[in-house]
């Protein structure tokens, strides 16, 4: 047992995080939680976990900042190329054909847990590149971390962060600034960044595609089921869900269909 974080303090802080966000901290993650708590106590000039716990329960702003600090924001452009091969060669052609038949020439996509913006910008560029010019693009990007969202909105990335972007995309959709690259306004304007806690539902409806990759791993089974059910309610009758390559809906009571493509496995809400 840590002298800094007792078993009882660990339990009540862990339960608070779970109740507020659905994120589950196991014993194996205890050291991560402890380090984040030390950082917050130092910033708040507090001496004990008890004092800090009172601060968390009284201040919505501190609670948001704390939840921000315990989330891991690991991402990159074109992460998991097999997903993007599926997106380009399977999902987009299918949706375009169906949309043309219905007369609805708009693709709506949600990047849930978007971190610092690499994924939604990638998705916007891919849609811009591969959709017919008469189609409208709507990209919604959300995260639990306000700090990450502010970075995402800025659309400015160090050269070391853009190494995964194909040259044709980099030249077409970015401008170089000193040691960085900035996303061009034509892509930025396609994206709406918004704070959202996946534990709770949302008012989005008829989404054609949802990306939520490497987020479910932070939730226990009931919280995962809640998130997946909320996605189902947000998605159009014929739509697609991308989750992390190490994540699965296997064994979960869900109506999503497992889809194996030539490139990767995804899920579909197939009702028509």
């Amino acid at each position: 047992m840590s002298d800094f974080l007792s078993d009882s303090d660990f339990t009540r802080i862990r339960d608070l995080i779970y109740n507020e966000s659905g994120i589950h901290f196991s014993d194996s993650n205890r050291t991560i939680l402890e380090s984040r708590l030390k950082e917050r106590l130092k910033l708040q000039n507090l001496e004990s976990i008890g004092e800090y716990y009172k601060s968390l329960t009284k201040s919505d702003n501190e609670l948001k900042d704390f939840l921000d600090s315990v989330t891991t924001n690991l991402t990159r452009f074109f992460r998991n190329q097999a997903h993007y091969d599926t997106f380009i060669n399977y999902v987009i052609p299918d949706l375009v054909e169906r949309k043309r038949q219905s007369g609805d020439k708009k693709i709506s996509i949600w990047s849930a847990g978007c971190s610092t913006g690499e994924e939604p910008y990638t998705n916007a560029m891919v849609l811009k590149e591969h959709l017919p010019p008469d189609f409208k693009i709507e990209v919604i990007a959300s995260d639990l971390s306000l700090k990450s969202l502010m970075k995402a909105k800025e659309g400015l990335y160090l050269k070391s962060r853009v190494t995964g972007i194909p040259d044709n995309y980099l030249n077409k959709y970015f401008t170089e600034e000193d040691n960085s690259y900035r996303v061009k306004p034509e892509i930025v304007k396609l994206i709406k960044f918004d704070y959202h806690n996946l534990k709770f539902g949302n008012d989005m409806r008829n989404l054609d595609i949802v990306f939520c990759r490497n987020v479910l791993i932070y939730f226990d089974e009931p919280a995962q089921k809640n998130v997946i059910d909320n996605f189902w309610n947000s998605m159009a009758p014929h739509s697609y869900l991308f989750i992390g390559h190490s994540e699965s809906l296997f064994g979960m009571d869900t109506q999503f269909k497992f889809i194996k493509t030539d490139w990767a496995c995804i899920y579909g809400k197939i009702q028509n």
Side-chain angles (χ1 to χ4, degrees):
M1 183 180 72
S2 166
D3 292 335
F4 172 75
L5 184 63
S6 68
D7 287 346
S8 60
D9 284 335
F10 171 64
T11 298
R12 66 174 176 167
I13 295 290
R14 179 187 64 187
D15 289 349
L16 177 67
I17 293 170
Y18 180 76
N19 291 334
E20 294 294 335
S21 69
I23 296 171
H24 174 67
F25 269 83
S26 64
D27 288 339
S28 61
N29 300 128
R30 182 169 176 154
T31 54
I32 297 173
L33 182 57
E34 186 170 335
S35 67
R36 299 298 188 271
L37 283 167
K38 286 179 178 177
E39 292 169 4
R40 297 311 302 173
L41 262 69
K42 187 175 181 180
L43 285 171
Q44 295 293 314
N45 198 26
L46 296 174
E47 296 294 329
S48 72
I49 295 292
E51 289 178 292
Y52 186 63
Y53 183 81
K54 289 179 183 177
S55 174
L56 285 175
T57 57
K58 290 180 180 178
S59 169
D60 287 342
N61 287 334
E62 180 55 32
L63 179 60
K64 283 185 177 182
D65 288 344
F66 177 58
L67 292 175
D68 187 330
S69 75
V70 300
T71 55
T72 303
N73 299 301
L74 176 66
T75 186
R76 64 177 182 271
F77 288 97
F78 288 89
R79 186 179 189 179
N80 192 342
Q81 185 59 46
H83 273 171
Y84 283 99
D85 291 338
T86 300
F87 188 20
I88 292 166
N89 297 303
Y90 183 92
V91 171
I92 291 177
D94 178 61
L95 289 176
V96 167
E97 182 180 353
R98 289 174 174 275
K99 296 274 184 179
R100 284 213 182 279
Q101 291 173 0
S102 68
D104 171 24
K105 295 182 180 179
K106 183 176 88 168
I107 300 288
S108 297
I109 181 170
W110 179 19
S111 178
C114 71
S115 188
T116 47
E118 286 89 337
E119 181 182 272
Y121 284 128
T122 301
N123 292 343
M125 289 188 292
V126 166
L127 288 172
K128 184 81 172 172
E129 194 74 10
H130 292 278
L131 280 181
D134 57 337
F135 270 64
K136 181 180 177 182
I137 299 167
E138 177 184 58
V139 181
I140 301 131
S142 70
D143 203 88
L144 183 66
S145 168
L146 289 169
K147 183 169 62 177
S148 294
L149 284 172
M150 295 308 295
K151 170 65 177 172
K153 282 184 176 180
E154 189 180 9
L156 184 66
Y157 298 92
L158 292 173
K159 285 186 177 179
S160 60
R161 300 293 297 170
V162 302
T163 53
I165 304 175
D167 287 344
N168 59 317
Y169 281 87
L170 191 62
N171 295 332
K172 190 172 183 178
Y173 297 117
F174 289 81
T175 54
E176 190 171 357
E177 296 183 8
D178 298 324
N179 196 39
S180 301
Y181 281 87
R182 185 179 296 279
V183 184
K184 287 186 176 180
E186 67 177 293
I187 297 299
V188 175
K189 72 179 182 180
L190 300 176
I191 304 175
K192 177 187 176 184
F193 288 101
D194 193 19
Y195 175 86
H196 180 64
N197 187 334
L198 286 173
K199 178 182 171 119
F200 304 107
N202 60 78
D203 58 1
M204 289 182 274
R205 294 295 180 267
N206 290 314
L207 296 166
D208 299 297
I209 308 160
V210 172
F211 272 71
C212 184
R213 301 187 296 170
N214 306 303
V215 176
L216 294 177
I217 53 175
Y218 295 105
F219 300 144
D220 66 1
E221 288 185 15
Q224 288 178 355
K225 175 71 162 56
N226 178 59
V227 170
I228 293 300
D229 286 347
N230 287 337
F231 286 157
W232 179 272
N233 294 332
S234 300
M235 294 169 68
H238 188 96
S239 49
Y240 295 97
L241 171 66
F242 288 79
I243 61 176
H245 70 277
S246 63
E247 298 170 322
S248 172
L249 303 187
F250 180 76
M252 187 182 295
D253 180 18
T254 174
Q255 298 178 73
F256 280 105
K257 306 295 185 186
F258 179 77
I259 299 172
K260 188 177 186 336
T261 74
D262 290 341
W263 307 271
C265 297
I266 59 173
Y267 292 88
K269 179 177 178 178
I270 312 297
Q271 292 188 306
N272 61 9

